[in-house]
Amino acid sequence: MRLVGRHKLARRDRNYGDTIVWLTFAPDGRLASSSADGKVRLYDRDLKNRAETALPGRGKPPRPWGIAFSPDGKSLAVGSLDQSRVELLSGETLKPVRAFEGGRGKAGALSVVAWSPDGR
């Protein structure tokens, strides 16, 4: 890895089994990532890994894609390439909190997620 200017590598996590596809920061500086290896990871402000999880699903686990912290950082929305469902995880532990299903009989994926400014 080549670094330009005065920048230096802060931390490296070699535990990824595939490409990182999305990153998002919580208001307090925590970082979450989704990866093509099927996992969502959570790091603290010092970039130390605090939690990782695979999305719940039947059969082959869904692949997480877009992720977004709620405005207060308490929740993490996770979209998937494999299902028309958005998982809501705890922003502190990555434990499942709730899921939002897409329309019945509709095919496709809800891969990109975002929050309204008020977090609703």
Side-chain angles (χ1 to χ4, degrees):
M1 173 178 268
R2 190 180 116 174
L3 302 173
V4 180
R6 296 182 197 206
H7 301 279
K8 67 179 187 171
L9 188 62
R11 179 131 0 240
R12 181 179 293 188
D13 186 343
R14 296 182 187 266
N15 294 318
Y16 283 85
D18 209 329
T19 306
I20 295 170
V21 293
W22 212 283
L23 298 170
T24 187
F25 283 93
D28 66 0
R30 287 173 292 130
L31 172 69
S33 69
S34 64
S35 172
D37 68 6
K39 294 185 180 174
V40 176
R41 292 171 174 85
L42 179 66
Y43 300 87
D44 65 17
R45 292 174 46 113
D46 297 320
L47 300 178
K48 293 180 184 162
N49 188 315
R50 293 297 174 210
E52 65 180 54
T53 192
L55 294 181
R58 296 182 202 118
K60 182 181 176 185
R63 293 172 293 169
W65 197 259
I67 56 177
F69 276 105
S70 59
D72 64 7
K74 293 181 180 179
S75 299
L76 183 69
V78 183
S80 165
L81 288 178
D82 305 301
Q83 60 186 8
S84 58
R85 174 183 172 125
V86 173
E87 294 290 338
L88 193 60
L89 306 178
S90 163
E92 299 288 334
T93 65
L94 297 184
K95 301 252 187 253
V97 174
R98 188 173 177 192
F100 298 94
E101 299 284 343
R104 289 185 182 195
K106 303 289 183 183
L110 293 171
S111 58
V112 179
V113 296
W115 289 87
S116 63
D118 66 4
R120 293 186 187 181

